[in-house]
Amino acid sequence: MTPDPLTTAPTAPDPGAVLDELRAALPADAVVTDPDRLTARAQDGSATAPTGAPLVLVLPADTGQVSAVLRVAYAHRVPVVPQGLRSGLAGGANAVPGAILLSTERMTAIRRIDHVDQVVVVQPGVVTKDLVDAVAAEGLFYPPDPASYAISTIGGNIATNAGGMRCVKYGVTRDFVRALEVVLADGTVIRTAPGTVKAVAGLDLTALVVGSEGTLGVVTEATLGLLPAPAPDRGVAATFDSVTAALEAANAVIASPHRPSTLEFVDGEVLAALAAHDPEAGLPVGARAMLIAITDEAEAGLGDVEAYRQIAEAHGALAVDVAHDPERLHQLMRARRALNPAMRAIRGGSINEDVAVPRTRLPELLDRIADISAQTGLPIGTGGHVGDGNLHPVIAFDPADPVQVDAAHDAHTRILGLAVELGGTVTGEHGIGVEKRGALPGELSPRVLEIQRGIKDVLDPLGILNPGKKL
Ligand SMILES: Cc1cc2nc3c(=O)[nH]c(=O)nc-3n(C[C@H](O)[C@H](O)[C@H](O)COP(=O)(O)OP(=O)(O)OC[C@H]3O[C@@H](n4cnc5c(N)ncnc54)[C@H](O)[C@@H]3O)c2cc1C
């Protein structure tokens, strides 16, 4: 039987030789073996995904140094775990035993912003918000907007194909990645594409690497597409006395000609948790659901907002707050971004789901999650990107109570199964990481899994890149 890379340290490597070679290849302060720092870096934002004890943390500053690290790892068959800011929620950046943790925290250069090609060229460790702000300062727009954009990197966003608030209009990270520089398992550096708007020579390796969660190569530079800056946000926040009414209103917005740039939903459980977490946000409490619909259209914006108001009222909204002031909307969205910590605060522990289903199945998804909550006795609050059919049910539990821990894992498994049963996926944007590997065979056929593992073997024949993750 093949040993499980998550629990078994690699057999062959000589740790002393590995450290010596890494120290020879990198500046002295870029090779960290201090146990406290290693422990602090061993886990991402998922509370429950397993992790192992790493051998060393390396902090390369450029592509050459990343390549040198991988040459050492390849020669000694040492696992390498790429890490951005470890905001991931599936354990993708968690350490495996004996691993080299390869952090991109020193790779933060924004190399070029081009107004005619409408691209930005960056190193992978740039914080997403810093990139958004840098291009906005030049009148340009990078739309991908994960709720974690202030605490995640472009490299992490690319490796997870991160989604977020604006996907309903603009698409996900993949839609803005024009070309990548990638260091392969043996240290070879490749470019996947020229970075032009169009490029169809050969197979699409850029698309393959996007969403591969560090299992196919380390992204060391990205060429990302940009758009002209949109108009300031305006929109509505509407509350409802039933989840179904809110979901039907959301689907009516999508079916209308007034495509929003953001369409977010939270149920009553989440609304109460957010209000407690962020009292300053002035959230309307007491409702069973809230929708936030935002437009960033200049000319059509007023008509869009009026359409959202009418749709909400036609679906029996309790109250509709119309905001032509972007600051008010940003305040609501800031509160909404705290979905995970706010729900975790209820009982001290949480499992953050990330299911996506066809929008037509959303009412059934929410109904049956309510059943799972009642059967397990745990609060499950759901919110997220309703316009994409991508919601985050968050299971709250007390980590000190073994009964609740078991119940939380049971609820987790049942929600993943439910998403697949409804024609959807176990992960819309957070990725498989470690946490959802067990759910993969429920969603992908044996042949599809075999093809994917074959691709991984071609690019990483020794299996050193983020082993035990994704596939
Ligand atoms: C409060 C909160 C809100 C969130 N909201 C969203 C959301 O709206 N949408 C969303 O999609 N996600 C969301 N996330 C999840 C998370 O922020 C994203 O998955 C993000 O893309 C991870 O980026 P990171 O830099 O933290 O990467 P990490 O967590 O460090 O790593 C994530 C994965 O990418 C790999 N990786 C990192 N850098 C590289 C690289 N240079 N080359 C190859 N592989 C690499 C890692 O090995 C790992 O598998 C949220 C998380 C939190 C805590």
Side-chain angles (χ1 to χ4, degrees):
M1 211 173 90
T2 321
D4 180 353
L6 281 173
T7 52
T8 319
T11 45
D14 168 357
V18 171
L19 293 177
D20 284 349
E21 288 179 37
L22 289 173
R23 288 187 181 113
L26 299 180
D29 66 351
V31 180
V32 179
T33 52
D34 171 55
D36 291 342
R37 284 182 73 188
L38 292 186
T39 305
R41 299 299 189 104
Q43 184 111 32
D44 72 3
S46 59
T48 47
T51 187
L55 171 68
V56 59
L57 165 72
V58 294
L59 307 168
D62 59 30
T63 304
Q65 292 182 2
V66 173
S67 172
V69 170
L70 282 160
R71 282 198 302 273
V72 173
Y74 195 78
H76 292 271
R77 284 182 172 247
V78 183
V80 176
V81 178
Q83 293 188 329
L85 279 179
R86 293 177 293 101
S87 70
L89 294 172
N94 281 11
V96 299
I100 298 174
L101 302 178
L102 190 160
S103 167
T104 58
E105 72 177 46
R106 292 190 178 173
M107 302 180 75
T108 56
I110 297 178
R111 292 196 162 131
R112 183 164 73 92
I113 298 174
D114 192 305
H115 285 251
V116 177
D117 287 333
Q118 295 203 324
V119 291
V120 57
V121 179
V122 292
Q123 284 190 302
V126 174
V127 174
T128 311
K129 184 176 184 304
D130 292 346
L131 166 64
V132 168
D133 290 348
V135 301
E138 302 211 13
L140 292 166
F141 179 42
Y142 177 69
D145 175 30
S148 54
Y149 83 142
I151 53 165
S152 66
T153 64
I154 285 295
N157 292 175
I158 290 168
T160 54
N161 190 18
M165 310 299 190
R166 290 194 278 248
C167 305
V168 64
K169 178 171 177 180
Y170 293 103
V172 293
T173 299
R174 177 190 307 292
D175 298 304
F176 292 86
V177 181
R178 296 247 191 107
L180 296 173
E181 179 187 80
V182 181
V183 179
L184 301 179
D186 64 0
T188 309
V189 182
I190 62 164
R191 275 193 75 77
T192 58
T196 46
V197 173
K198 294 178 172 176
V200 291
L203 297 178
D204 190 349
L205 288 187
T206 313
L208 186 63
V209 172
V210 175
S212 63
E213 299 183 42
T215 62
L216 301 182
V218 180
V219 173
T220 46
E221 187 182 273
T223 304
L224 306 168
L226 301 172
L227 295 174
D233 286 340
R234 56 179 81 213
V236 307
T239 49
F240 298 83
D241 66 1
S242 97
V243 163
T244 308
L247 294 175
E248 285 173 355
N251 281 351
V253 168
I254 290 291
S256 80
H258 302 276
R259 170 68 61 163
S261 53
T262 293
L263 185 59
E264 292 289 309
F265 161 89
V266 294
D267 70 9
E269 187 84 54
V270 173
L271 195 52
L274 294 177
H277 185 81
D278 184 359
E280 311 255 294
L283 288 169
V285 283
R288 302 293 269 279
M290 180 174 77
L291 272 189
I292 303 174
I294 298 177
T295 176
D296 61 5
E297 290 290 326
E299 301 288 310
L302 280 176
D304 289 344
V305 171
E306 180 56 17
Y308 306 151
R309 186 183 65 76
Q310 287 179 14
I311 289 170
E313 286 176 357
H315 286 80
L318 297 171
V320 183
D321 176 5
V322 174
H324 293 291
D325 164 18
E327 206 24 64
R328 171 65 188 142
L329 290 164
H330 294 169
Q331 189 182 36
L332 287 171
M333 291 302 292
R334 259 196 308 274
R336 149 65 191 94
R337 283 175 198 277
L339 166 70
N340 295 321
M343 280 299 297
R344 189 169 290 183
I346 295 179
R347 292 202 177 173
S350 67
I351 299 181
N352 308 300
E353 300 295 353
D354 168 43
V355 294
V357 298
R359 286 186 287 252
T360 44
R361 310 302 295 273
L362 284 168
E364 193 178 349
L365 177 74
L366 269 287
D367 265 358
R368 290 179 58 189
I369 288 175
D371 292 344
I372 294 172
S373 171
Q375 286 154 11
T376 55
L378 295 178
I380 304 178
T382 300
H385 322 299
V386 66
D388 309 324
N390 177 205
L391 293 181
H392 302 304
V394 184
I395 306 159
F397 64 98
D398 176 356
D401 176 352
V403 175
Q404 290 193 36
V405 173
D406 284 352
H409 285 289
D410 178 36
H412 164 72
T413 309
R414 288 164 68 178
I415 291 171
L416 298 186
L418 174 60
V420 175
E421 184 194 324
L422 295 179
T425 176
V426 298
T427 175
E429 57 182 17
H430 293 167
I432 290 290
V434 193
E435 200 139 64
K436 292 190 183 144
R437 257 179 108 210
L440 217 48
E443 182 172 330
L444 302 179
S445 73
R447 182 70 183 122
V448 167
L449 266 176
E450 188 187 17
I451 291 169
Q452 297 201 10
R453 288 182 178 138
I455 292 170
K456 159 89 173 158
D457 285 346
V458 169
L459 288 166
D460 181 19
L462 303 182
I464 60 167
L465 283 173
N466 220 359
K469 316 285 179 65
K470 183 78 174 169
L471 286 177

